[in-house]
């Protein structure tokens, strides 16, 4: 079985052989350093926002900075300098926050967006490169101070998946369901990556499963979910990902993730060929 080159090419016919093994082979382990100049760029470029390339091989010009806090949300781990994105992404986050604020006082914890000019990060992600991706933690925080205290360093919020990886954990509740459902039903959202056990739990519990189509099973993503937007209108240099297959995705494709085949480790043979950076991205990297 051939492993997918990276997360944004995942579809029905290209699947990893095991969640964690695929993660190591396609994305690099969390915290592992990669040689990339994009992390050295500290500020966005001037000019209007422009998405260039794809989420796993691209960049963003004129990115905007997500405020540290807003109605219903707090952005955590600001020291990473990964809180930049296209205006549409920032508007989506603000809308999710306002929806949460109407529900109660707890806050959505917003994780990584993109670097100031996008591009490959030195750790944690192969995607998040063109200003259209954001990680949202399932757990809500009682305050901004608590969110930053509880996620300092390498500490992550708890998993929403049972220890055996088969089912939802007792921590899953209506707050988590409402949060991901609100995101999935937003027309700006192209897809959401989520742990297979979370999708299976929702497939079992939801009467109306139409919104589950956007939930794409992928390794990890048990404590947070990964939102990816569609290319914004007029973004002529943005590479739109292939359309999601029709249906709710609750059938045999989801069952595969829990099969013996899915749990059999597979090693990649030879080094991975890195994609050629879009020409327009090179101009966003300072020289010298």
């Amino acid at each position: 079985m051939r492993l997918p080159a990276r997360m944004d090419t995942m579809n029905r016919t290209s699947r990893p052989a095991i969640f964690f093994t695929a993660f190591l082979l396609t994305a690099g382990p969390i915290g592992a350093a990669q040689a990339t100049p994009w992390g050295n760029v500290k500020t966005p470029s001037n000019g209007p926002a422009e998405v260039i390339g794809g989420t796993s091989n691209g960049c963003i010009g004129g990115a905007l900075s997500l405020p540290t806090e807003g109605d219903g949300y707090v952005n955590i781990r600001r020291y990473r300098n990964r809180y930049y994105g296209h205006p549409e992404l920032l508007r989506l986050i603000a809308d999710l926050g306002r929806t949460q604020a109407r529900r109660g006082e707890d806050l959505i914890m917003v994780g990584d967006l993109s670097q100031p000019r996008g591009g490959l990060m030195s750790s944690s992600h192969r995607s998040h490169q063109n200003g259209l991706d954001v990680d949202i933690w399932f757990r809500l925080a009682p305050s901004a101070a608590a969110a930053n205290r509880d996620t300092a360093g390498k500490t992550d919020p708890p998993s929403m998946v049972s220890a055996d990886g088969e089912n939802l954990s007792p921590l899953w509740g209506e707050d988590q369901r409402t949060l991901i459902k609100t995101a999935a039903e937003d027309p700006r959202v192209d897809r959401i990556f989520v742990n297979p056990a979370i999708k299976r739990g929702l497939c079992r519990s939801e009467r109306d499963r139409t919104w589950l189509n956007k939930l794409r099973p992928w390794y990890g993503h048990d404590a947070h979910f990964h939102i990816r937007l569609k290319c914004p209108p007029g973004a002529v240099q943005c590479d739109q990902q292939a359309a999601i297959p029709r249906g709710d995705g609750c059938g045999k494709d989801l069952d595969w993730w829990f099969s013996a085949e899915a749990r059999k480790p597979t090693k990649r043979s030879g080094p991975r060929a890195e994609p050629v950076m879009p020409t327009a991205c090179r101009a966003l990297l300072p020289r010298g």
Side-chain angles (χ1 to χ4, degrees), residues 54-133:
T55 59
S56 292
N57 184 32
C59 58
I60 179 170
L64 298 183
S65 169
L66 179 71
T68 304
E69 298 178 37
D71 288 344
Y73 82 85
V74 57
N75 181 215
I76 61 174
R77 295 171 175 165
R78 298 277 288 189
Y79 63 86
R80 294 188 182 192
N81 203 30
R82 297 174 177 178
Y83 45 83
Y84 301 88
H86 188 275
E88 282 296 321
L89 183 61
L90 270 60
R91 281 191 281 268
L92 173 76
I93 294 169
D95 290 344
L96 290 176
R98 282 191 286 268
T99 299
Q100 172 57 33
R102 290 193 290 269
R103 297 189 71 243
E105 296 183 357
D106 288 344
L107 304 176
I108 296 171
M109 291 191 288
V110 179
D112 288 348
L113 282 72
S114 293
Q115 297 175 134
R117 301 186 190 186
L120 180 64
M121 297 180 183
S122 62
S123 63
S124 302
H125 310 286
R126 288 288 301 183
S127 57
H128 288 253
Q129 291 194 32
N130 67 353
L132 298 180
D133 291 344

Side-chain angles (χ1 to χ4, degrees), residues 48-54 59-61 86 130 132 230-241 278 280-281:
E50 186 173 17
V51 176
I52 302 169
C59 58
I60 179 170
H86 188 275
N130 67 353
L132 298 180
K230 301 172 183 176
C231 287
V236 296
Q237 297 193 75
C238 177
D239 292 339
Q240 177 62 50
Q241 188 170 354
C281 287

Side-chain angles (χ1 to χ4, degrees), residues 214-241:
K214 290 184 183 180
L215 271 54
R216 314 308 295 165
W218 198 251
Y219 54 82
H221 298 87
D222 56 323
H224 76 275
F225 59 97
H226 175 162
I227 296 175
R228 176 167 298 162
L229 296 194
K230 301 172 183 176
C231 287
V236 296
Q237 297 193 75
C238 177
D239 292 339
Q240 177 62 50
Q241 188 170 354

Side-chain angles (χ1 to χ4, degrees), residues 4 7 9-15 216 218 245:
M7 180 161 55
T9 60
M10 183 65 185
N11 55 42
R12 287 178 176 239
T13 59
S14 61
R15 300 160 169 155
R216 314 308 295 165
W218 198 251

